[in-house]
Amino acid sequence: MTGIIIFDMLQMLAKGVLIGILASAPMGPVGVLTVQRTLVKGRWYGFATGVGAACSDFAYALLTGIFMGFTMSFAESPWAVRWLKPLGSVVLLLFGIYFYIWKPAPLAVRPSGKVGTLAHNMLTGFLVTCSNPLIVVFFLVLFARFGFVPDGHPVNMAVGYVGLLAGALLWWYLLTAVLYRVRGRFAMEQVRLLNRCLGVLVMLVALGGLAYSLVLAGK
């Protein structure tokens, strides 16, 4: 019994880490801002911006979880069990296509003597991410696709949310570390290439999940 509980917790942790990475990886406004600050101000200023974005994503993820908690009676219905995951895969596929074709605005990389405090950079990263409440839709899709929904076990969900925050922080840490190392050779085209790679990855995950869900639905 203990082994099953530990397995469930590890499973939720892994789901949370994956969702945190997928939610943070698209190079939207806060991603571009993080890239710019890493190149101009230094790695830790870029990472602080990412930490602010991760905290905002975490808050939106909690709101998404609360919303899904209110709709669990619907989510547990036979119709939802059969079609919610395939629908989530389709929407996730659309997100992947969007990530692939989206072209970020050029970076305004200009030397500046003002870098601000780490707390200030973190706050602005938080506010920029908060200004995009549509992230809730993305979280709904990810939660539905990976079965990251309230299951009556608060400890499991807490572990899952810790994993989500850890995944987001891990993404920003690795991104800023790589950017700082290649800062002398980095160009805007690499941002678009990163988005395209992410778009392909999301599309593959969505197509794989859709095929798996349809196979199960046919049984």
Side-chain angles (χ1 to χ4, degrees):
M1 192 69 177
T2 303
I4 296 176
I5 294 175
I6 294 176
F7 176 78
D8 289 341
M9 291 176 63
L10 291 176
Q11 189 177 45
M12 287 299 293
L13 180 65
K15 288 180 180 180
V17 170
L18 180 59
I19 290 172
I21 292 174
L22 288 176
S24 301
M27 285 291 103
V30 73
V32 174
L33 181 63
T34 301
V35 170
Q36 178 179 353
R37 286 180 172 175
T38 302
L39 298 178
V40 176
K41 298 181 178 182
R43 176 186 175 185
W44 296 114
Y45 291 94
F47 179 63
T49 305
V51 171
C55 291
S56 177
D57 284 343
F58 182 72
Y60 274 128
L62 286 175
L63 290 176
T64 304
I66 293 172
F67 172 78
M68 294 190 77
F70 286 128
T71 58
M72 278 306 293
S73 58
F74 165 76
E76 291 174 348
S77 66
W79 183 91
V81 170
R82 184 173 182 179
W83 294 110
L84 191 59
K85 285 189 176 181
L87 180 61
S89 293
V90 171
V91 179
L92 191 60
L93 178 62
L94 296 177
F95 271 110
I97 295 172
Y98 172 76
F99 296 153
Y100 185 86
I101 65 176
W102 185 73
K103 185 176 181 180
L107 288 174
V109 181
R110 295 187 298 270
S112 173
K114 297 181 179 180
V115 295
T117 64
L118 291 176
H120 174 265
N121 283 264
M122 187 185 304
L123 178 61
T124 53
F126 179 86
L127 294 176
V128 169
T129 309
C130 274
S131 66
N132 181 28
L134 289 178
I135 188 66
V136 171
V137 178
F138 193 37
F139 275 124
L140 281 172
V141 172
L142 291 173
F143 283 17
R145 176 55 263 164
F146 295 107
F148 192 89
V149 293
D151 59 358
H153 299 284
V155 175
N156 284 0
M157 289 307 301
V159 169
Y161 280 114
V162 169
L164 190 151
L165 180 60
L169 292 174
L170 177 64
W171 167 258
W172 294 118
Y173 181 84
L174 294 177
L175 177 66
T176 52
V178 172
L179 284 174
Y180 191 70
R181 285 182 176 274
V182 301
R183 61 191 181 281
R185 306 184 300 274
F186 190 84
M188 193 61 202
E189 187 59 30
Q190 273 73 47
V191 175
R192 191 174 186 187
L193 177 62
L194 181 62
N195 254 18
R196 285 185 169 182
C197 291
L198 174 68
V200 171
L201 176 61
V202 170
M203 285 187 278
L204 289 175
V205 170
L207 290 173
L210 180 61
Y212 181 73
S213 298
L214 292 178
V215 169
L216 290 182
K219 291 184 178 180

